[in-house]
Amino acid sequence: MSGPSGRSSTRFAGRNTIERLARFGFCARGAVYCVVGMLAVLAAVGAGGKAGDSAGALRFVLLGPLGPWIVGLIALGLWGFAAWRLVEAVTDADRRGTSPKGLAVRGAHLISAGIYAGLGLTAASLALGLGLQSDGDGLQDWTAWLLAKPYGRVAVALIGLGVVGGGVGFLVKAARGDVTERLALDAARQAWAEPVGRFGYAARGIAFLIIGGFVVVAAWYQASSEVKGLSGAFQALRAQPYGRVLLAIVAAGHVAFGAFGLIQARYRRIDAPDIDQADDAVARVVRPGA
């Protein structure tokens, strides 16, 4: 292809299968968080929405025109995003390196791969007419299972602290990080993309702090019922003084996070090995001298 439009089209479509999956995945994740945030904003202003989790957003989409088809496409996109996160973590496609910070980011990407693969399964089950539990119920089940194990209380506490740490990381990135460092943007586009990204990361940071706090409390009291997902975080905000305002701000931030995901789908630099090269990429990581 030639010309600006041709280059743009190529960048969006991707150069290989994994890159295309990644871009499709950023789209799907962005769409989910846009819906999550919009529903929570409507709830905050009393316009009939519900401040729920990602599964609730998928159920909302399911009720719309062509709902099962759209949710099915979202499921495929979320699995594509999970595949990209796995590739990032294992092959170091983003050149994070093996420093403690780099390994921490890659480890977080590995966890993210599992989370979005699970959310993709939820979306697929809804598209096929099956019902799965909400995020909060699933978290409570896993917490109850883990608390019943030897040293389970310690494990749950460490997980909660890890989620809190992720929230701190999001807030630091929102305040001081270069949120557009991996985006191919000119100055004009960066001028509006950067504040969208910062607002989105700040909102996710606040949500992670609250969710992680719930998990730590569950460990302290050895009660899995204390664990809440994103819907619980929204409810906790709503219960505070000026709760409607707080919920509206954080909900709008989730819309911004979703919108930033759509920006990433379009402009992110993705240097991914193609599927037929993935084995070699993994081998280079496992056996550096190979």
Side-chain angles (χ1 to χ4, degrees), residues 100-123:
K101 180 180 178 181
L103 290 175
V105 172
R106 291 168 65 183
H109 285 165
L110 194 60
I111 295 170
S112 177
I115 291 171
Y116 285 104
L119 185 57
L121 180 61
T122 298

Side-chain angles (χ1 to χ4, degrees), residues 6-85:
R7 288 193 296 271
S8 298
S9 173
T10 300
R11 186 191 304 126
F12 180 77
R15 295 168 299 174
N16 62 49
T17 302
I18 292 179
E19 182 177 346
R20 293 187 187 101
L21 286 174
R23 296 195 187 282
F24 187 26
F26 277 113
C27 265
R29 187 185 70 156
V32 169
Y33 282 110
C34 280
V35 176
V36 167
M38 286 188 290
L39 291 175
V41 167
L42 291 175
V45 301
K50 183 178 179 181
D53 53 24
S54 301
L58 291 170
R59 290 189 178 94
F60 175 82
V61 174
L62 189 70
L63 297 176
L66 301 176
W69 292 97
I70 295 174
V71 173
L73 287 173
I74 289 174
L76 293 176
L78 292 171
W79 284 331
F81 187 78
W84 164 239
R85 283 298 196 223

Side-chain angles (χ1 to χ4, degrees), residues 9 12 48 63 76-77 117 133 139 154 164 169 183 187 202 285:
S9 173
F12 180 77
L63 297 176
L76 293 176
Q133 294 173 308
L139 288 172
V154 174
V164 170
L183 302 182
V285 173

Side-chain angles (χ1 to χ4, degrees), residues 260-284:
F260 194 68
L262 300 179
I263 294 170
Q264 289 173 304
R266 175 67 175 80
Y267 294 107
R268 197 185 194 279
R269 298 185 186 94
I270 298 175
D271 185 15
D274 207 346
I275 288 179
D276 60 355
Q277 301 169 337
D279 290 344
D280 293 337
V282 172
R284 285 194 295 272

Side-chain angles (χ1 to χ4, degrees), residues 152-192:
R153 187 178 184 183
V154 174
V156 171
L158 290 175
I159 291 170
L161 291 174
V163 175
V164 170
V168 172
F170 275 130
L171 290 172
V172 170
K173 187 167 185 175
R176 300 187 303 180
D178 185 357
V179 298
T180 61
E181 64 177 330
R182 298 186 185 275
L183 302 182
L185 297 172
D186 57 27
R189 290 188 177 95
Q190 183 162 336
W192 57 264

